[in-house]
Amino acid sequence: MARGLKNPKKAKRKNKGSSKGEGSSSSNSEPSMPVKVWQPGVDKIEEGEELQCDPSAYNSLHAFHIGWPCLSFDIVRDSLGLVRTSFPHTMFCVAGTQADKASLNSIGIFKISNISGKNRELVPSTTNGSDMDSDSSDSDEDDVVTDGGSAAPMRKVRHQGCVNRIRAMPQNPHISASWADTGHVQLWDFSSHLNALAESEAGVSQEDPPASNQAPLLKFGGHKDEGYAIDWSPLVPGRLVSGDCKNCIYLWEPTSGTTWNVGTNPFVGHTASVEDLQWSPTEADVFASCSVDGNIAIWDIRLGNSPAASIKAHNADVNVISWNRLASCMLASGSDDGTFSIRDLRLLKDGDSVVAHFEYHKHPITSIEWSPHEASTLAVSSSDNQLTVWDLSLERDEEEEAEFKAKTQEQVNAPTDIPPQLLFVHQGQKDLKELHWHSQIPGMIISTAADGFNILMPSNIETPLPPSNDAQMI
């Protein structure tokens, strides 16, 4: 179980004009040694060498912090457009801190504006023969900003204890649920803070804002220990599940827009800590859980408080799971041994439901999430300080590789042990903890680590153009 941050340190807020290259994403200084391509998992970093970011690999890359490091955050759904493809971008997030003293913790509600980058044409669902590989007129590499950790403007609410995990309700994004290391789950209404940020002018706040003493909508103390697992239903507004380190899962049912009933009898089926929870994207009464016991369980709340199915998923702790919302039969899981697997739930009755298994990462998987725009693509973060993007539809093409080698001036020795499905590797953050795709900005990923946040958009991720009736304001 890869969880807390070791010796968290508060980042100093600096003004907008500070020198760049001090953040987690990259340095703008010229390298003192000849530049070469570094192959992850193959090359070693020798003494005196350092990795330099290649800005051409990104359509957008930014770094920022909000003070204390954050173990968990969530992107808040907004009304700026369902599918946004043109820079600059704006986004809203909630994040919970990991301060060195319990009394210093807070939930930050923040807005990031003027996210710059290279505008690219989306790949249409059906091509008409035209050349769609060219960039738009705004494709200057100078638009990719690798800034040095500027702070985002935000509002803060005091939170007793470290925030283990935080999630915003998809249907009512001003409502968030937080898991505290004190053993309490709390629900919050951040509508006033989000409204104030939405009306504020773009720019970077220079002051560390004081935290308000807002009371939660509900504070649940029925769990017997702290926990990390929590998830809102994507189908039933307000329905929630929370799981703790004592193997118990509780179901929350909304009774109104601001009140909930929490079940008195927990769902019990795991023999160790429940690490993550995911509701089915298509069945309102079904959710999945994973545990330190190495199992994944599928639950149907109509059938009682025991799992409907249980799978031995990994030989070590199962830290995280993600249910594919575009291909609802696919469930991804990441383990403490660095492996992650993809299962086709339709094959559960046949015994072996694993359709893909990867051993690329050598340290615990800390986060895994399917792309909300491409069914075969998912992103993974690990304690090895790598964030990787995978496309399961890719296969090795030996003819294409031979043709590429023939065209290059130097010999290209592609390592044979790197899976062809590995699409992108992002590095530069220390102690990566969580990542999320932005559901309204195709191809954009936000990640949090001990040294702050990164916003990235890899340049080699192509996203199909959505149907015209989906591209509307919400």
Side-chain angles (χ1 to χ4, degrees), residues 329-372:
C329 60
M330 296 296 176
L331 185 72
S333 60
S335 175
D336 220 43
D337 61 9
T339 65
F340 68 95
S341 301
I342 314 299
R343 283 178 167 76
D344 186 336
L345 299 179
R346 296 171 299 183
L347 303 178
L348 284 181
K349 294 181 179 180
D350 298 333
D352 186 7
S353 59
V354 177
V355 294
H357 180 76
F358 298 95
E359 299 180 357
Y360 169 80
H361 291 284
K362 306 306 179 185
H363 295 273
I365 303 300
T366 58
S367 188
I368 191 167
E369 188 169 291
W370 292 98
S371 165

Side-chain angles (χ1 to χ4, degrees), residues 70 95 101 118-119 146 158 188 245 260 322 342 369 389 397:
C70 297
K101 294 182 181 179
K118 296 183 292 185
N119 286 318
T146 54
R158 293 188 187 279
W188 306 85
C245 296
W260 282 260
S322 179
I342 314 299
E369 188 169 291
V389 181
D397 189 326

Side-chain angles (χ1 to χ4, degrees), residues 211-335:
S212 64
N213 289 314
Q214 178 178 331
L217 293 173
L218 179 62
K219 184 176 183 179
F220 177 65
H223 285 284
K224 296 180 180 180
D225 197 359
E226 66 174 314
Y228 294 80
I230 197 166
D231 193 42
W232 292 102
S233 168
L235 302 177
V236 181
R239 178 175 281 179
L240 181 76
V241 280
S242 57
D244 60 37
C245 296
K246 292 293 186 182
N247 324 340
C248 294
I249 301 170
Y250 284 87
L251 174 66
W252 304 51
E253 291 284 14
T255 55
S256 71
T258 56
T259 58
W260 282 260
N261 281 334
V262 185
T264 56
N265 297 319
F267 292 80
V268 179
H270 289 292
T271 58
S273 173
V274 179
E275 296 294 281
D276 202 5
L277 291 160
Q278 284 274 282
W279 283 100
S280 166
T282 56
E283 298 183 64
D285 300 309
V286 175
F287 68 89
S289 62
C290 66
S291 170
V292 169
D293 63 15
N295 293 338
I296 292 175
I298 308 296
W299 310 76
D300 189 327
I301 62 176
R302 298 165 297 185
L303 302 179
N305 291 41
S306 298
S310 185
I311 316 159
K312 183 61 178 178
H314 293 270
N315 294 324
D317 307 0
V318 187
N319 294 332
V320 286
I321 53 175
S322 179
W323 206 318
N324 195 323
R325 299 195 175 184
L326 299 179
S328 60
C329 60
M330 296 296 176
L331 185 72
S333 60
S335 175

Side-chain angles (χ1 to χ4, degrees), residues 116-138:
S116 60
K118 296 183 292 185
N119 286 318
R120 291 176 62 93
E121 294 292 334
L122 289 180
V123 178
S125 299
T126 56
T127 59
N128 56 8
S130 61
D131 184 9
M132 300 303 295
D133 294 330
S134 60
D135 292 351
S136 72
S137 60
D138 296 328

Side-chain angles (χ1 to χ4, degrees), residues 25 30 35 45 53 60-61 101-102 161 187 194 213 223 241 303 334 353 364 442 449:
S25 55
E30 292 295 327
V35 176
I45 301 176
C53 172
S60 184
L61 177 60
K101 294 182 181 179
L187 303 186
L194 290 167
N213 289 314
H223 285 284
V241 280
L303 302 179
S353 59

Side-chain angles (χ1 to χ4, degrees), residues 41-53:
V42 178
D43 297 331
K44 296 182 179 180
I45 301 176
E46 304 294 341
E47 184 176 356
E49 291 183 329
E50 66 176 15
L51 293 177
Q52 296 287 338
C53 172

